[in-house]
Amino acid sequence: MTSMKKMFLTVLAALFILPLFAQDETLEPLYSSSNGKVEFDMLSHIGFGYNIVKTNDFKPAFSSEFMMNILDLGLYPTQNFGIKLGVDFTYNNLGSRESAFIQTKDHLIKAVDFPSVRLDETAGITQPPGGLNVFSFTAPLLLKGVFNKVEIGAGAEACYNVSSETYYYFRQENRRVEVSESKAKVNRFTYDFLAFLTYNDFGVYFKYRPKSARLFPDGSVDLSFMTVGIVLGL
């Protein structure tokens, strides 16, 4: 099963199954100081999102995000307001409908109309979808407000992009074949702006990665994207 299929099925399962695990009471962190001003937690939440890609370099297809918290630290100088820091693992998929992402010999990424891509492998085949997968560790810094079971926050996160791969599909002898390449070059460090709203540890989140974050080091593909998703406390 291809990576896109796996991600799509995972998101569908989450939309139907995860709300069943919402608790009647707010989940407690692993550690909370006696005065409630410091909290520490691990694996506190997961999220699934839909990426809305804006670019003039290719026609976007279905794109998605999966994120899982690793560490959380909350500092609360007052009862209702504080600062939240953390480390998350994030997977982003950026899909293309009429172009394929290919790599040069230096592993730089180019968005190319499919008929001109690797003609020795794909000649005479109709245009397939293609895309890019990026695996990252992110460090969010958020201002957070807590009002009974409602939590709201906004801020930014630094992204360390660990690895990435390009892929595209073509049809051969009545079957779809996936061609993927690892070690695609993206900038190691990028950033996002984000916000969230939850009730009883279940809610929505929003992210925005501007063009100035420059995911691609040589500027050959210019894009920005917004993520809209659901988040669930664990």
mmCIF file with all atom_site columns, all heavy atoms in Angstrom, residues 12-33:
data_model
loop_
_atom_site.group_PDB
_atom_site.id
_atom_site.type_symbol
_atom_site.label_atom_id
_atom_site.label_alt_id
_atom_site.label_comp_id
_atom_site.label_asym_id
_atom_site.label_entity_id
_atom_site.label_seq_id
_atom_site.pdbx_PDB_ins_code
_atom_site.Cartn_x
_atom_site.Cartn_y
_atom_site.Cartn_z
_atom_site.occupancy
_atom_site.B_iso_or_equiv
_atom_site.pdbx_formal_charge
_atom_site.auth_seq_id
_atom_site.auth_comp_id
_atom_site.auth_asym_id
_atom_site.auth_atom_id
_atom_site.pdbx_PDB_model_num
ATOM 1   N N   . LEU A 1 12 ? -9.203  8.987  7.779  1.00 0.00 ? 12 LEU A N   1
ATOM 2   C CA  . LEU A 1 12 ? -10.597 8.571  7.819  1.00 0.00 ? 12 LEU A CA  1
ATOM 3   C C   . LEU A 1 12 ? -10.913 7.838  9.116  1.00 0.00 ? 12 LEU A C   1
ATOM 4   O O   . LEU A 1 12 ? -11.948 8.076  9.753  1.00 0.00 ? 12 LEU A O   1
ATOM 5   C CB  . LEU A 1 12 ? -10.908 7.667  6.621  1.00 0.00 ? 12 LEU A CB  1
ATOM 6   C CG  . LEU A 1 12 ? -11.066 8.346  5.264  1.00 0.00 ? 12 LEU A CG  1
ATOM 7   C CD1 . LEU A 1 12 ? -11.369 7.304  4.199  1.00 0.00 ? 12 LEU A CD1 1
ATOM 8   C CD2 . LEU A 1 12 ? -12.171 9.401  5.303  1.00 0.00 ? 12 LEU A CD2 1
ATOM 9   N N   . ALA A 1 13 ? -10.023 6.943  9.520  1.00 0.00 ? 13 ALA A N   1
ATOM 10  C CA  . ALA A 1 13 ? -10.236 6.213  10.771 1.00 0.00 ? 13 ALA A CA  1
ATOM 11  C C   . ALA A 1 13 ? -10.270 7.161  11.960 1.00 0.00 ? 13 ALA A C   1
ATOM 12  O O   . ALA A 1 13 ? -11.088 7.006  12.872 1.00 0.00 ? 13 ALA A O   1
ATOM 13  C CB  . ALA A 1 13 ? -9.134  5.166  10.953 1.00 0.00 ? 13 ALA A CB  1
ATOM 14  N N   . ALA A 1 14 ? -9.382  8.156  11.934 1.00 0.00 ? 14 ALA A N   1
ATOM 15  C CA  . ALA A 1 14 ? -9.318  9.098  13.048 1.00 0.00 ? 14 ALA A CA  1
ATOM 16  C C   . ALA A 1 14 ? -10.607 9.903  13.170 1.00 0.00 ? 14 ALA A C   1
ATOM 17  O O   . ALA A 1 14 ? -11.115 10.136 14.271 1.00 0.00 ? 14 ALA A O   1
ATOM 18  C CB  . ALA A 1 14 ? -8.135  10.042 12.858 1.00 0.00 ? 14 ALA A CB  1
ATOM 19  N N   . LEU A 1 15 ? -11.164 10.329 12.037 1.00 0.00 ? 15 LEU A N   1
ATOM 20  C CA  . LEU A 1 15 ? -12.371 11.146 12.054 1.00 0.00 ? 15 LEU A CA  1
ATOM 21  C C   . LEU A 1 15 ? -13.548 10.411 12.685 1.00 0.00 ? 15 LEU A C   1
ATOM 22  O O   . LEU A 1 15 ? -14.420 11.019 13.303 1.00 0.00 ? 15 LEU A O   1
ATOM 23  C CB  . LEU A 1 15 ? -12.723 11.575 10.628 1.00 0.00 ? 15 LEU A CB  1
ATOM 24  C CG  . LEU A 1 15 ? -11.765 12.580 9.983  1.00 0.00 ? 15 LEU A CG  1
ATOM 25  C CD1 . LEU A 1 15 ? -12.154 12.819 8.530  1.00 0.00 ? 15 LEU A CD1 1
ATOM 26  C CD2 . LEU A 1 15 ? -11.760 13.892 10.744 1.00 0.00 ? 15 LEU A CD2 1
ATOM 27  N N   . PHE A 1 16 ? -13.587 9.077  12.557 1.00 0.00 ? 16 PHE A N   1
ATOM 28  C CA  . PHE A 1 16 ? -14.698 8.298  13.095 1.00 0.00 ? 16 PHE A CA  1
ATOM 29  C C   . PHE A 1 16 ? -14.416 7.716  14.474 1.00 0.00 ? 16 PHE A C   1
ATOM 30  O O   . PHE A 1 16 ? -15.322 7.561  15.286 1.00 0.00 ? 16 PHE A O   1
ATOM 31  C CB  . PHE A 1 16 ? -15.054 7.154  12.138 1.00 0.00 ? 16 PHE A CB  1
ATOM 32  C CG  . PHE A 1 16 ? -15.740 7.617  10.891 1.00 0.00 ? 16 PHE A CG  1
ATOM 33  C CD1 . PHE A 1 16 ? -15.020 7.773  9.721  1.00 0.00 ? 16 PHE A CD1 1
ATOM 34  C CD2 . PHE A 1 16 ? -17.091 7.925  10.886 1.00 0.00 ? 16 PHE A CD2 1
ATOM 35  C CE1 . PHE A 1 16 ? -15.650 8.210  8.560  1.00 0.00 ? 16 PHE A CE1 1
ATOM 36  C CE2 . PHE A 1 16 ? -17.719 8.369  9.734  1.00 0.00 ? 16 PHE A CE2 1
ATOM 37  C CZ  . PHE A 1 16 ? -17.005 8.509  8.566  1.00 0.00 ? 16 PHE A CZ  1
ATOM 38  N N   . ILE A 1 17 ? -13.144 7.393  14.750 1.00 0.00 ? 17 ILE A N   1
ATOM 39  C CA  . ILE A 1 17 ? -12.814 6.653  15.969 1.00 0.00 ? 17 ILE A CA  1
ATOM 40  C C   . ILE A 1 17 ? -12.361 7.548  17.113 1.00 0.00 ? 17 ILE A C   1
ATOM 41  O O   . ILE A 1 17 ? -12.783 7.384  18.262 1.00 0.00 ? 17 ILE A O   1
ATOM 42  C CB  . ILE A 1 17 ? -11.733 5.587  15.680 1.00 0.00 ? 17 ILE A CB  1
ATOM 43  C CG1 . ILE A 1 17 ? -12.291 4.556  14.683 1.00 0.00 ? 17 ILE A CG1 1
ATOM 44  C CG2 . ILE A 1 17 ? -11.261 4.906  16.949 1.00 0.00 ? 17 ILE A CG2 1
ATOM 45  C CD1 . ILE A 1 17 ? -11.252 3.552  14.214 1.00 0.00 ? 17 ILE A CD1 1
ATOM 46  N N   . LEU A 1 18 ? -11.508 8.547  16.811 1.00 0.00 ? 18 LEU A N   1
ATOM 47  C CA  . LEU A 1 18 ? -10.892 9.317  17.888 1.00 0.00 ? 18 LEU A CA  1
ATOM 48  C C   . LEU A 1 18 ? -11.899 10.033 18.791 1.00 0.00 ? 18 LEU A C   1
ATOM 49  O O   . LEU A 1 18 ? -11.685 10.083 20.005 1.00 0.00 ? 18 LEU A O   1
ATOM 50  C CB  . LEU A 1 18 ? -9.909  10.340 17.298 1.00 0.00 ? 18 LEU A CB  1
ATOM 51  C CG  . LEU A 1 18 ? -8.657  9.731  16.650 1.00 0.00 ? 18 LEU A CG  1
ATOM 52  C CD1 . LEU A 1 18 ? -7.742  10.844 16.147 1.00 0.00 ? 18 LEU A CD1 1
ATOM 53  C CD2 . LEU A 1 18 ? -7.911  8.836  17.612 1.00 0.00 ? 18 LEU A CD2 1
ATOM 54  N N   . PRO A 1 19 ? -13.000 10.604 18.276 1.00 0.00 ? 19 PRO A N   1
ATOM 55  C CA  . PRO A 1 19 ? -13.937 11.256 19.189 1.00 0.00 ? 19 PRO A CA  1
ATOM 56  C C   . PRO A 1 19 ? -14.519 10.322 20.240 1.00 0.00 ? 19 PRO A C   1
ATOM 57  O O   . PRO A 1 19 ? -14.957 10.759 21.291 1.00 0.00 ? 19 PRO A O   1
ATOM 58  C CB  . PRO A 1 19 ? -15.035 11.762 18.233 1.00 0.00 ? 19 PRO A CB  1
ATOM 59  C CG  . PRO A 1 19 ? -14.354 11.922 16.926 1.00 0.00 ? 19 PRO A CG  1
ATOM 60  C CD  . PRO A 1 19 ? -13.364 10.802 16.875 1.00 0.00 ? 19 PRO A CD  1
ATOM 61  N N   . LEU A 1 20 ? -14.513 8.999  19.986 1.00 0.00 ? 20 LEU A N   1
ATOM 62  C CA  . LEU A 1 20 ? -15.044 8.059  20.955 1.00 0.00 ? 20 LEU A CA  1
ATOM 63  C C   . LEU A 1 20 ? -14.211 7.994  22.218 1.00 0.00 ? 20 LEU A C   1
ATOM 64  O O   . LEU A 1 20 ? -14.673 7.555  23.269 1.00 0.00 ? 20 LEU A O   1
ATOM 65  C CB  . LEU A 1 20 ? -15.119 6.652  20.327 1.00 0.00 ? 20 LEU A CB  1
ATOM 66  C CG  . LEU A 1 20 ? -15.993 6.531  19.066 1.00 0.00 ? 20 LEU A CG  1
ATOM 67  C CD1 . LEU A 1 20 ? -15.911 5.110  18.528 1.00 0.00 ? 20 LEU A CD1 1
ATOM 68  C CD2 . LEU A 1 20 ? -17.436 6.918  19.360 1.00 0.00 ? 20 LEU A CD2 1
ATOM 69  N N   . PHE A 1 21 ? -12.932 8.444  22.124 1.00 0.00 ? 21 PHE A N   1
ATOM 70  C CA  . PHE A 1 21 ? -12.038 8.366  23.265 1.00 0.00 ? 21 PHE A CA  1
ATOM 71  C C   . PHE A 1 21 ? -12.004 9.658  24.082 1.00 0.00 ? 21 PHE A C   1
ATOM 72  O O   . PHE A 1 21 ? -11.241 9.775  25.025 1.00 0.00 ? 21 PHE A O   1
ATOM 73  C CB  . PHE A 1 21 ? -10.621 8.020  22.795 1.00 0.00 ? 21 PHE A CB  1
ATOM 74  C CG  . PHE A 1 21 ? -10.516 6.641  22.238 1.00 0.00 ? 21 PHE A CG  1
ATOM 75  C CD1 . PHE A 1 21 ? -10.708 6.423  20.880 1.00 0.00 ? 21 PHE A CD1 1
ATOM 76  C CD2 . PHE A 1 21 ? -10.245 5.564  23.054 1.00 0.00 ? 21 PHE A CD2 1
ATOM 77  C CE1 . PHE A 1 21 ? -10.621 5.146  20.348 1.00 0.00 ? 21 PHE A CE1 1
ATOM 78  C CE2 . PHE A 1 21 ? -10.159 4.278  22.530 1.00 0.00 ? 21 PHE A CE2 1
ATOM 79  C CZ  . PHE A 1 21 ? -10.349 4.081  21.176 1.00 0.00 ? 21 PHE A CZ  1
ATOM 80  N N   . ALA A 1 22 ? -12.793 10.648 23.690 1.00 0.00 ? 22 ALA A N   1
ATOM 81  C CA  . ALA A 1 22 ? -12.836 11.895 24.450 1.00 0.00 ? 22 ALA A CA  1
ATOM 82  C C   . ALA A 1 22 ? -13.327 11.600 25.866 1.00 0.00 ? 22 ALA A C   1
ATOM 83  O O   . ALA A 1 22 ? -14.293 10.861 26.078 1.00 0.00 ? 22 ALA A O   1
ATOM 84  C CB  . ALA A 1 22 ? -13.745 12.905 23.760 1.00 0.00 ? 22 ALA A CB  1
ATOM 85  N N   . GLN A 1 23 ? -12.683 12.185 26.845 1.00 0.00 ? 23 GLN A N   1
ATOM 86  C CA  . GLN A 1 23 ? -12.983 11.897 28.239 1.00 0.00 ? 23 GLN A CA  1
ATOM 87  C C   . GLN A 1 23 ? -13.998 12.881 28.803 1.00 0.00 ? 23 GLN A C   1
ATOM 88  O O   . GLN A 1 23 ? -14.154 14.002 28.335 1.00 0.00 ? 23 GLN A O   1
ATOM 89  C CB  . GLN A 1 23 ? -11.686 11.971 29.074 1.00 0.00 ? 23 GLN A CB  1
ATOM 90  C CG  . GLN A 1 23 ? -10.582 11.068 28.556 1.00 0.00 ? 23 GLN A CG  1
ATOM 91  C CD  . GLN A 1 23 ? -10.933 9.614  28.673 1.00 0.00 ? 23 GLN A CD  1
ATOM 92  O OE1 . GLN A 1 23 ? -11.416 9.178  29.717 1.00 0.00 ? 23 GLN A OE1 1
ATOM 93  N NE2 . GLN A 1 23 ? -10.688 8.855  27.616 1.00 0.00 ? 23 GLN A NE2 1
ATOM 94  N N   . ASP A 1 24 ? -14.709 12.449 29.867 1.00 0.00 ? 24 ASP A N   1
ATOM 95  C CA  . ASP A 1 24 ? -15.637 13.347 30.555 1.00 0.00 ? 24 ASP A CA  1
ATOM 96  C C   . ASP A 1 24 ? -14.891 14.385 31.372 1.00 0.00 ? 24 ASP A C   1
ATOM 97  O O   . ASP A 1 24 ? -15.387 15.472 31.626 1.00 0.00 ? 24 ASP A O   1
ATOM 98  C CB  . ASP A 1 24 ? -16.558 12.541 31.482 1.00 0.00 ? 24 ASP A CB  1
ATOM 99  C CG  . ASP A 1 24 ? -17.495 11.636 30.683 1.00 0.00 ? 24 ASP A CG  1
ATOM 100 O OD1 . ASP A 1 24 ? -17.804 11.996 29.526 1.00 0.00 ? 24 ASP A OD1 1
ATOM 101 O OD2 . ASP A 1 24 ? -17.900 10.586 31.223 1.00 0.00 ? 24 ASP A OD2 1
ATOM 102 N N   . GLU A 1 25 ? -13.694 14.056 31.803 1.00 0.00 ? 25 GLU A N   1
ATOM 103 C CA  . GLU A 1 25 ? -12.872 14.985 32.566 1.00 0.00 ? 25 GLU A CA  1
ATOM 104 C C   . GLU A 1 25 ? -11.608 15.297 31.780 1.00 0.00 ? 25 GLU A C   1
ATOM 105 O O   . GLU A 1 25 ? -11.123 14.478 31.015 1.00 0.00 ? 25 GLU A O   1
ATOM 106 C CB  . GLU A 1 25 ? -12.501 14.372 33.930 1.00 0.00 ? 25 GLU A CB  1
ATOM 107 C CG  . GLU A 1 25 ? -13.700 14.025 34.809 1.00 0.00 ? 25 GLU A CG  1
ATOM 108 C CD  . GLU A 1 25 ? -14.489 15.254 35.229 1.00 0.00 ? 25 GLU A CD  1
ATOM 109 O OE1 . GLU A 1 25 ? -13.873 16.340 35.291 1.00 0.00 ? 25 GLU A OE1 1
ATOM 110 O OE2 . GLU A 1 25 ? -15.690 15.120 35.494 1.00 0.00 ? 25 GLU A OE2 1
ATOM 111 N N   . THR A 1 26 ? -11.066 16.507 31.999 1.00 0.00 ? 26 THR A N   1
ATOM 112 C CA  . THR A 1 26 ? -9.850  16.906 31.313 1.00 0.00 ? 26 THR A CA  1
ATOM 113 C C   . THR A 1 26 ? -8.696  15.986 31.726 1.00 0.00 ? 26 THR A C   1
ATOM 114 O O   . THR A 1 26 ? -8.526  15.676 32.898 1.00 0.00 ? 26 THR A O   1
ATOM 115 C CB  . THR A 1 26 ? -9.508  18.365 31.672 1.00 0.00 ? 26 THR A CB  1
ATOM 116 O OG1 . THR A 1 26 ? -10.601 19.190 31.278 1.00 0.00 ? 26 THR A OG1 1
ATOM 117 C CG2 . THR A 1 26 ? -8.257  18.812 30.943 1.00 0.00 ? 26 THR A CG2 1
ATOM 118 N N   . LEU A 1 27 ? -7.924  15.555 30.784 1.00 0.00 ? 27 LEU A N   1
ATOM 119 C CA  . LEU A 1 27 ? -6.799  14.665 31.070 1.00 0.00 ? 27 LEU A CA  1
ATOM 120 C C   . LEU A 1 27 ? -5.745  15.397 31.893 1.00 0.00 ? 27 LEU A C   1
ATOM 121 O O   . LEU A 1 27 ? -5.452  16.563 31.660 1.00 0.00 ? 27 LEU A O   1
ATOM 122 C CB  . LEU A 1 27 ? -6.197  14.170 29.754 1.00 0.00 ? 27 LEU A CB  1
ATOM 123 C CG  . LEU A 1 27 ? -7.136  13.342 28.870 1.00 0.00 ? 27 LEU A CG  1
ATOM 124 C CD1 . LEU A 1 27 ? -6.470  13.069 27.529 1.00 0.00 ? 27 LEU A CD1 1
ATOM 125 C CD2 . LEU A 1 27 ? -7.526  12.041 29.548 1.00 0.00 ? 27 LEU A CD2 1
ATOM 126 N N   . GLU A 1 28 ? -5.135  14.685 32.836 1.00 0.00 ? 28 GLU A N   1
ATOM 127 C CA  . GLU A 1 28 ? -4.146  15.270 33.724 1.00 0.00 ? 28 GLU A CA  1
ATOM 128 C C   . GLU A 1 28 ? -2.742  15.061 33.168 1.00 0.00 ? 28 GLU A C   1
ATOM 129 O O   . GLU A 1 28 ? -2.445  14.018 32.589 1.00 0.00 ? 28 GLU A O   1
ATOM 130 C CB  . GLU A 1 28 ? -4.243  14.647 35.118 1.00 0.00 ? 28 GLU A CB  1
ATOM 131 C CG  . GLU A 1 28 ? -5.557  14.907 35.828 1.00 0.00 ? 28 GLU A CG  1
ATOM 132 C CD  . GLU A 1 28 ? -5.774  16.382 36.111 1.00 0.00 ? 28 GLU A CD  1
ATOM 133 O OE1 . GLU A 1 28 ? -4.770  17.090 36.363 1.00 0.00 ? 28 GLU A OE1 1
ATOM 134 O OE2 . GLU A 1 28 ? -6.937  16.824 36.085 1.00 0.00 ? 28 GLU A OE2 1
ATOM 135 N N   . PRO A 1 29 ? -1.829  16.039 33.335 1.00 0.00 ? 29 PRO A N   1
ATOM 136 C CA  . PRO A 1 29 ? -0.435  15.874 32.881 1.00 0.00 ? 29 PRO A CA  1
ATOM 137 C C   . PRO A 1 29 ? 0.312   14.890 33.767 1.00 0.00 ? 29 PRO A C   1
ATOM 138 O O   . PRO A 1 29 ? -0.128  14.555 34.879 1.00 0.00 ? 29 PRO A O   1
ATOM 139 C CB  . PRO A 1 29 ? 0.135   17.287 33.013 1.00 0.00 ? 29 PRO A CB  1
ATOM 140 C CG  . PRO A 1 29 ? -0.688  17.926 34.085 1.00 0.00 ? 29 PRO A CG  1
ATOM 141 C CD  . PRO A 1 29 ? -2.072  17.360 33.933 1.00 0.00 ? 29 PRO A CD  1
ATOM 142 N N   . LEU A 1 30 ? 1.475   14.443 33.297 1.00 0.00 ? 30 LEU A N   1
ATOM 143 C CA  . LEU A 1 30 ? 2.289   13.524 34.086 1.00 0.00 ? 30 LEU A CA  1
ATOM 144 C C   . LEU A 1 30 ? 2.784   14.168 35.374 1.00 0.00 ? 30 LEU A C   1
ATOM 145 O O   . LEU A 1 30 ? 2.892   13.511 36.417 1.00 0.00 ? 30 LEU A O   1
ATOM 146 C CB  . LEU A 1 30 ? 3.490   13.054 33.254 1.00 0.00 ? 30 LEU A CB  1
ATOM 147 C CG  . LEU A 1 30 ? 3.198   12.125 32.076 1.00 0.00 ? 30 LEU A CG  1
ATOM 148 C CD1 . LEU A 1 30 ? 4.495   11.819 31.329 1.00 0.00 ? 30 LEU A CD1 1
ATOM 149 C CD2 . LEU A 1 30 ? 2.548   10.831 32.557 1.00 0.00 ? 30 LEU A CD2 1
ATOM 150 N N   . TYR A 1 31 ? 3.108   15.468 35.295 1.00 0.00 ? 31 TYR A N   1
ATOM 151 C CA  . TYR A 1 31 ? 3.600   16.172 36.479 1.00 0.00 ? 31 TYR A CA  1
ATOM 152 C C   . TYR A 1 31 ? 2.968   17.552 36.549 1.00 0.00 ? 31 TYR A C   1
ATOM 153 O O   . TYR A 1 31 ? 2.843   18.250 35.530 1.00 0.00 ? 31 TYR A O   1
ATOM 154 C CB  . TYR A 1 31 ? 5.118   16.338 36.432 1.00 0.00 ? 31 TYR A CB  1
ATOM 155 C CG  . TYR A 1 31 ? 5.639   17.312 37.469 1.00 0.00 ? 31 TYR A CG  1
ATOM 156 C CD1 . TYR A 1 31 ? 5.804   16.915 38.790 1.00 0.00 ? 31 TYR A CD1 1
ATOM 157 C CD2 . TYR A 1 31 ? 5.919   18.637 37.128 1.00 0.00 ? 31 TYR A CD2 1
ATOM 158 C CE1 . TYR A 1 31 ? 6.254   17.810 39.764 1.00 0.00 ? 31 TYR A CE1 1
ATOM 159 C CE2 . TYR A 1 31 ? 6.368   19.536 38.090 1.00 0.00 ? 31 TYR A CE2 1
ATOM 160 C CZ  . TYR A 1 31 ? 6.532   19.114 39.403 1.00 0.00 ? 31 TYR A CZ  1
ATOM 161 O OH  . TYR A 1 31 ? 6.969   20.011 40.359 1.00 0.00 ? 31 TYR A OH  1
ATOM 162 N N   . SER A 1 32 ? 2.540   17.940 37.733 1.00 0.00 ? 32 SER A N   1
ATOM 163 C CA  . SER A 1 32 ? 2.026   19.287 37.982 1.00 0.00 ? 32 SER A CA  1
ATOM 164 C C   . SER A 1 32 ? 2.519   19.740 39.347 1.00 0.00 ? 32 SER A C   1
ATOM 165 O O   . SER A 1 32 ? 2.401   19.005 40.332 1.00 0.00 ? 32 SER A O   1
ATOM 166 C CB  . SER A 1 32 ? 0.499   19.298 37.942 1.00 0.00 ? 32 SER A CB  1
ATOM 167 O OG  . SER A 1 32 ? 0.002   20.602 38.180 1.00 0.00 ? 32 SER A OG  1
ATOM 168 N N   . SER A 1 33 ? 3.128   20.926 39.394 1.00 0.00 ? 33 SER A N   1
ATOM 169 C CA  . SER A 1 33 ? 3.650   21.435 40.672 1.00 0.00 ? 33 SER A CA  1
ATOM 170 C C   . SER A 1 33 ? 2.505   21.702 41.640 1.00 0.00 ? 33 SER A C   1
ATOM 171 O O   . SER A 1 33 ? 1.339   21.834 41.243 1.00 0.00 ? 33 SER A O   1
ATOM 172 C CB  . SER A 1 33 ? 4.453   22.715 40.440 1.00 0.00 ? 33 SER A CB  1
ATOM 173 O OG  . SER A 1 33 ? 3.620   23.735 39.909 1.00 0.00 ? 33 SER A OG  1
#
